[in-house]
Short mmCIF file of all heavy atoms in Angstrom, two decimals:
data_model
loop_
_atom_site.label_atom_id
_atom_site.label_comp_id
_atom_site.label_asym_id
_atom_site.label_seq_id
_atom_site.Cartn_x
_atom_site.Cartn_y
_atom_site.Cartn_z
N SER Z 1 -63.23 100.34 44.99
CA SER Z 1 -63.19 101.76 44.89
C SER Z 1 -63.07 102.58 46.19
O SER Z 1 -62.82 103.71 46.23
CB SER Z 1 -64.56 102.24 44.25
OG SER Z 1 -65.62 101.95 45.07
N THR Z 2 -63.28 101.81 47.27
CA THR Z 2 -63.05 102.42 48.65
C THR Z 2 -62.36 101.43 49.55
O THR Z 2 -62.50 100.25 49.48
CB THR Z 2 -64.49 102.77 49.26
OG1 THR Z 2 -65.23 101.58 49.54
CG2 THR Z 2 -65.34 103.68 48.29
N SER Z 3 -61.75 102.01 50.51
CA SER Z 3 -61.06 101.18 51.56
C SER Z 3 -62.08 100.53 52.51
O SER Z 3 -61.81 99.44 52.94
CB SER Z 3 -60.08 102.13 52.36
OG SER Z 3 -60.71 103.17 52.97
N ALA Z 4 -63.20 101.22 52.64
CA ALA Z 4 -64.19 100.67 53.59
C ALA Z 4 -64.79 99.30 53.05
O ALA Z 4 -64.98 98.34 53.74
CB ALA Z 4 -65.33 101.63 53.78
N LEU Z 5 -64.92 99.33 51.75
CA LEU Z 5 -65.41 98.07 51.15
C LEU Z 5 -64.35 96.83 51.24
O LEU Z 5 -64.75 95.77 51.51
CB LEU Z 5 -65.83 98.29 49.61
CG LEU Z 5 -66.29 97.06 48.91
CD1 LEU Z 5 -67.59 96.46 49.56
CD2 LEU Z 5 -66.68 97.44 47.41
N SER Z 6 -63.15 97.19 51.00
CA SER Z 6 -62.08 96.21 51.13
C SER Z 6 -62.10 95.59 52.51
O SER Z 6 -61.99 94.41 52.73
CB SER Z 6 -60.69 96.76 50.75
OG SER Z 6 -60.52 96.76 49.34
N LYS Z 7 -62.11 96.50 53.51
CA LYS Z 7 -62.10 96.08 54.88
C LYS Z 7 -63.29 95.22 55.27
O LYS Z 7 -63.23 94.16 55.96
CB LYS Z 7 -61.96 97.22 55.90
CG LYS Z 7 -60.67 98.00 55.75
CD LYS Z 7 -60.63 99.21 56.66
CE LYS Z 7 -59.25 99.90 56.49
NZ LYS Z 7 -59.22 101.14 57.29
N ALA Z 8 -64.44 95.60 54.67
CA ALA Z 8 -65.64 94.76 54.94
C ALA Z 8 -65.58 93.41 54.29
O ALA Z 8 -65.99 92.40 54.87
CB ALA Z 8 -66.83 95.55 54.43
N LEU Z 9 -65.06 93.38 53.08
CA LEU Z 9 -64.85 92.10 52.39
C LEU Z 9 -63.84 91.20 53.12
O LEU Z 9 -64.08 89.98 53.21
CB LEU Z 9 -64.43 92.28 50.94
CG LEU Z 9 -65.50 93.04 50.07
CD1 LEU Z 9 -64.92 93.26 48.68
CD2 LEU Z 9 -66.76 92.17 49.94
N VAL Z 10 -62.74 91.81 53.60
CA VAL Z 10 -61.75 91.03 54.23
C VAL Z 10 -62.34 90.35 55.56
O VAL Z 10 -62.06 89.25 55.88
CB VAL Z 10 -60.53 91.92 54.59
CG1 VAL Z 10 -59.69 91.29 55.69
CG2 VAL Z 10 -59.74 92.16 53.37
N LYS Z 11 -63.11 91.22 56.27
CA LYS Z 11 -63.74 90.71 57.49
C LYS Z 11 -64.79 89.60 57.25
O LYS Z 11 -64.97 88.66 58.06
CB LYS Z 11 -64.40 91.85 58.22
CG LYS Z 11 -63.39 92.86 58.84
CD LYS Z 11 -64.12 93.98 59.58
CE LYS Z 11 -63.15 94.93 60.18
NZ LYS Z 11 -63.83 96.11 60.85
N SER Z 12 -65.48 89.72 56.14
CA SER Z 12 -66.52 88.73 55.87
C SER Z 12 -66.18 87.59 55.04
O SER Z 12 -67.04 86.78 54.64
CB SER Z 12 -67.76 89.49 55.21
OG SER Z 12 -67.36 90.00 53.95
N LYS Z 13 -64.93 87.47 54.64
CA LYS Z 13 -64.50 86.39 53.77
C LYS Z 13 -64.82 85.04 54.34
O LYS Z 13 -64.53 84.75 55.55
CB LYS Z 13 -62.99 86.45 53.50
CG LYS Z 13 -62.52 85.48 52.38
CD LYS Z 13 -61.02 85.35 52.39
CE LYS Z 13 -60.54 84.49 53.58
NZ LYS Z 13 -59.34 83.72 53.35
N GLU Z 14 -65.33 84.15 53.48
CA GLU Z 14 -65.72 82.80 53.98
C GLU Z 14 -65.01 81.80 53.13
O GLU Z 14 -64.59 82.06 52.01
CB GLU Z 14 -67.21 82.59 53.88
CG GLU Z 14 -67.96 83.53 54.81
CD GLU Z 14 -69.45 83.23 54.65
OE1 GLU Z 14 -69.82 82.29 54.05
OE2 GLU Z 14 -70.25 83.89 55.40
N SER Z 15 -64.80 80.53 53.69
CA SER Z 15 -64.23 79.48 52.88
C SER Z 15 -65.21 79.09 51.79
O SER Z 15 -66.40 78.92 52.03
CB SER Z 15 -64.03 78.31 53.86
OG SER Z 15 -63.65 77.16 53.05
N LEU Z 16 -64.62 78.79 50.69
CA LEU Z 16 -65.42 78.35 49.55
C LEU Z 16 -66.18 77.05 49.80
O LEU Z 16 -67.27 76.83 49.31
CB LEU Z 16 -64.57 78.22 48.25
CG LEU Z 16 -63.87 79.45 47.67
CD1 LEU Z 16 -63.04 79.10 46.51
CD2 LEU Z 16 -64.89 80.52 47.39
N SER Z 17 -65.56 76.17 50.59
CA SER Z 17 -66.15 74.95 50.90
C SER Z 17 -67.42 75.01 51.77
O SER Z 17 -68.16 74.06 51.83
CB SER Z 17 -65.08 74.02 51.62
OG SER Z 17 -64.80 74.59 52.86
N SER Z 18 -67.64 76.14 52.33
CA SER Z 18 -68.85 76.43 53.19
C SER Z 18 -70.15 76.65 52.34
O SER Z 18 -71.23 76.69 52.87
CB SER Z 18 -68.67 77.52 54.13
OG SER Z 18 -68.60 78.75 53.49
N HIS Z 19 -70.00 76.80 51.04
CA HIS Z 19 -71.10 77.07 50.10
C HIS Z 19 -71.53 75.91 49.37
O HIS Z 19 -70.70 75.21 48.80
CB HIS Z 19 -70.79 78.26 49.23
CG HIS Z 19 -70.58 79.53 49.92
ND1 HIS Z 19 -71.57 80.37 50.32
CD2 HIS Z 19 -69.43 80.15 50.39
CE1 HIS Z 19 -71.12 81.42 50.95
NE2 HIS Z 19 -69.82 81.31 51.00
N ALA Z 20 -72.84 75.70 49.23
CA ALA Z 20 -73.26 74.55 48.37
C ALA Z 20 -72.89 74.86 46.87
O ALA Z 20 -73.05 76.05 46.51
CB ALA Z 20 -74.81 74.51 48.49
N GLU Z 21 -72.45 73.90 46.21
CA GLU Z 21 -72.03 74.02 44.84
C GLU Z 21 -73.22 73.99 43.91
O GLU Z 21 -73.89 72.91 43.88
CB GLU Z 21 -71.00 72.99 44.49
CG GLU Z 21 -70.22 73.30 43.22
CD GLU Z 21 -69.34 74.58 43.38
OE1 GLU Z 21 -68.27 74.46 43.99
OE2 GLU Z 21 -69.83 75.56 42.83
N ARG Z 22 -73.55 75.00 43.18
CA ARG Z 22 -74.69 74.97 42.31
C ARG Z 22 -74.33 74.79 40.81
O ARG Z 22 -75.22 74.64 39.99
CB ARG Z 22 -75.50 76.28 42.46
CG ARG Z 22 -76.28 76.37 43.74
CD ARG Z 22 -77.25 77.53 43.76
NE ARG Z 22 -76.46 78.74 43.90
CZ ARG Z 22 -76.39 79.40 44.96
NH1 ARG Z 22 -76.90 78.97 46.08
NH2 ARG Z 22 -75.67 80.58 45.12
N LYS Z 23 -72.96 74.79 40.52
CA LYS Z 23 -72.61 74.59 39.12
C LYS Z 23 -73.10 75.66 38.14
O LYS Z 23 -73.25 75.32 36.98
CB LYS Z 23 -72.88 73.15 38.67
CG LYS Z 23 -72.25 72.08 39.39
CD LYS Z 23 -70.76 71.94 39.06
CE LYS Z 23 -70.16 70.74 39.69
NZ LYS Z 23 -68.64 70.63 39.40
N ASN Z 24 -73.35 76.80 38.61
CA ASN Z 24 -73.82 77.90 37.73
C ASN Z 24 -72.62 78.52 37.10
O ASN Z 24 -71.64 78.83 37.78
CB ASN Z 24 -74.69 78.89 38.47
CG ASN Z 24 -75.98 78.33 38.93
OD1 ASN Z 24 -76.57 77.51 38.16
ND2 ASN Z 24 -76.58 78.81 40.06
N ASN Z 25 -72.70 78.89 35.79
CA ASN Z 25 -71.68 79.64 35.15
C ASN Z 25 -71.61 81.07 35.62
O ASN Z 25 -70.56 81.62 35.80
CB ASN Z 25 -71.91 79.56 33.67
CG ASN Z 25 -70.91 80.40 32.90
OD1 ASN Z 25 -71.19 81.65 32.66
ND2 ASN Z 25 -69.83 79.89 32.43
N THR Z 26 -72.83 81.65 35.85
CA THR Z 26 -72.92 83.07 36.24
C THR Z 26 -74.04 83.22 37.25
O THR Z 26 -75.11 82.56 36.99
CB THR Z 26 -73.09 83.99 35.07
OG1 THR Z 26 -72.12 83.71 34.10
CG2 THR Z 26 -73.14 85.44 35.47
N GLU Z 27 -73.88 84.00 38.25
CA GLU Z 27 -74.93 84.38 39.23
C GLU Z 27 -74.88 85.87 39.46
O GLU Z 27 -73.85 86.42 39.64
CB GLU Z 27 -74.77 83.60 40.57
CG GLU Z 27 -75.00 82.09 40.53
CD GLU Z 27 -75.00 81.50 41.91
OE1 GLU Z 27 -75.08 82.27 42.90
OE2 GLU Z 27 -74.81 80.23 41.96
N VAL Z 28 -76.10 86.36 39.48
CA VAL Z 28 -76.23 87.84 39.83
C VAL Z 28 -77.27 87.92 40.94
O VAL Z 28 -78.37 87.34 40.90
CB VAL Z 28 -76.70 88.67 38.58
CG1 VAL Z 28 -76.86 90.07 39.05
CG2 VAL Z 28 -75.72 88.48 37.47
N GLN Z 29 -76.94 88.72 41.96
CA GLN Z 29 -77.92 89.01 43.02
C GLN Z 29 -77.95 90.55 43.21
O GLN Z 29 -76.97 91.11 43.39
CB GLN Z 29 -77.53 88.35 44.37
CG GLN Z 29 -77.44 86.80 44.24
CD GLN Z 29 -77.02 86.13 45.50
OE1 GLN Z 29 -76.64 86.78 46.51
NE2 GLN Z 29 -77.15 84.87 45.58
N LEU Z 30 -79.15 91.08 43.13
CA LEU Z 30 -79.37 92.55 43.13
C LEU Z 30 -80.41 92.85 44.24
O LEU Z 30 -81.53 92.37 44.18
CB LEU Z 30 -79.83 92.99 41.79
CG LEU Z 30 -80.00 94.56 41.61
CD1 LEU Z 30 -78.72 95.21 41.66
CD2 LEU Z 30 -80.60 94.78 40.20
N ASN Z 31 -79.98 93.64 45.14
CA ASN Z 31 -80.84 94.16 46.28
C ASN Z 31 -81.50 95.43 45.79
O ASN Z 31 -80.89 96.54 45.93
CB ASN Z 31 -80.05 94.31 47.55
CG ASN Z 31 -80.90 94.78 48.72
OD1 ASN Z 31 -81.98 95.31 48.58
ND2 ASN Z 31 -80.39 94.58 49.98
N LEU Z 32 -82.75 95.42 45.33
CA LEU Z 32 -83.39 96.59 44.76
C LEU Z 32 -83.75 97.57 45.77
O LEU Z 32 -83.95 98.79 45.56
CB LEU Z 32 -84.56 96.17 43.91
CG LEU Z 32 -84.18 95.41 42.64
CD1 LEU Z 32 -85.35 94.85 41.96
CD2 LEU Z 32 -83.42 96.34 41.67
N ARG Z 33 -83.91 97.13 47.10
CA ARG Z 33 -84.12 98.10 48.19
C ARG Z 33 -82.94 98.99 48.26
O ARG Z 33 -83.06 100.24 48.43
CB ARG Z 33 -84.39 97.36 49.47
CG ARG Z 33 -85.68 96.52 49.54
CD ARG Z 33 -85.86 96.05 50.97
NE ARG Z 33 -87.02 95.13 51.11
CZ ARG Z 33 -86.91 93.82 51.34
NH1 ARG Z 33 -85.73 93.23 51.42
NH2 ARG Z 33 -87.97 93.11 51.41
N ALA Z 34 -81.76 98.44 48.16
CA ALA Z 34 -80.52 99.26 48.35
C ALA Z 34 -80.38 100.17 47.12
O ALA Z 34 -79.91 101.36 47.22
CB ALA Z 34 -79.32 98.39 48.55
N VAL Z 35 -80.69 99.64 46.00
CA VAL Z 35 -80.63 100.51 44.72
C VAL Z 35 -81.52 101.69 44.84
O VAL Z 35 -81.14 102.82 44.54
CB VAL Z 35 -81.00 99.60 43.52
CG1 VAL Z 35 -81.21 100.53 42.28
CG2 VAL Z 35 -79.95 98.51 43.26
N LYS Z 36 -82.77 101.48 45.32
CA LYS Z 36 -83.70 102.59 45.51
C LYS Z 36 -83.13 103.66 46.53
O LYS Z 36 -83.23 104.80 46.30
CB LYS Z 36 -85.03 102.10 45.97
CG LYS Z 36 -86.05 103.19 46.18
CD LYS Z 36 -87.39 102.67 46.68
CE LYS Z 36 -88.36 103.87 46.99
NZ LYS Z 36 -89.60 103.44 47.59
N ARG Z 37 -82.58 103.12 47.64
CA ARG Z 37 -82.06 104.08 48.57
C ARG Z 37 -80.92 104.98 47.87
O ARG Z 37 -80.78 106.12 48.23
CB ARG Z 37 -81.48 103.36 49.81
CG ARG Z 37 -82.55 102.77 50.69
CD ARG Z 37 -81.95 102.31 52.01
NE ARG Z 37 -81.02 101.26 51.90
CZ ARG Z 37 -81.36 100.02 52.03
NH1 ARG Z 37 -82.64 99.66 52.27
NH2 ARG Z 37 -80.50 99.05 51.94
N SER Z 38 -80.08 104.33 47.15
CA SER Z 38 -78.94 105.04 46.52
C SER Z 38 -79.49 106.14 45.52
O SER Z 38 -79.03 107.15 45.43
CB SER Z 38 -78.08 104.08 45.75
OG SER Z 38 -77.03 104.68 45.14
N LEU Z 39 -80.53 105.72 44.78
CA LEU Z 39 -81.15 106.66 43.86
C LEU Z 39 -81.83 107.84 44.54
O LEU Z 39 -81.77 108.94 44.08
CB LEU Z 39 -82.12 106.02 42.89
CG LEU Z 39 -81.54 104.95 41.96
CD1 LEU Z 39 -82.64 104.32 41.20
CD2 LEU Z 39 -80.56 105.61 41.01
#
């Protein structure tokens, strides 16, 4: 939705092999501190 987010993701992209494989079908991570700040 924003160019700033795309640039941040491009800069922070990591190799998939650098992450431990957990074999999860779906994962969700929610930072509720950030959600509160936004609200």
Side-chain angles (χ1 to χ4, degrees):
S1 66
T2 67
S3 57
L5 179 58
S6 278
K7 291 176 181 178
L9 294 176
V10 163
K11 289 180 181 178
S12 64
K13 190 195 72 153
E14 296 183 3
S15 170
L16 297 180
S17 62
S18 67
H19 294 278
E21 195 64 79
R22 285 189 287 261
K23 295 288 185 179
N24 290 327
N25 173 273
T26 306
E27 290 185 17
V28 178
Q29 297 179 355
L30 186 61
N31 182 340
L32 291 170
R33 294 189 185 110
V35 171
K36 181 185 175 183
R37 287 194 296 267
S38 180
L39 293 176

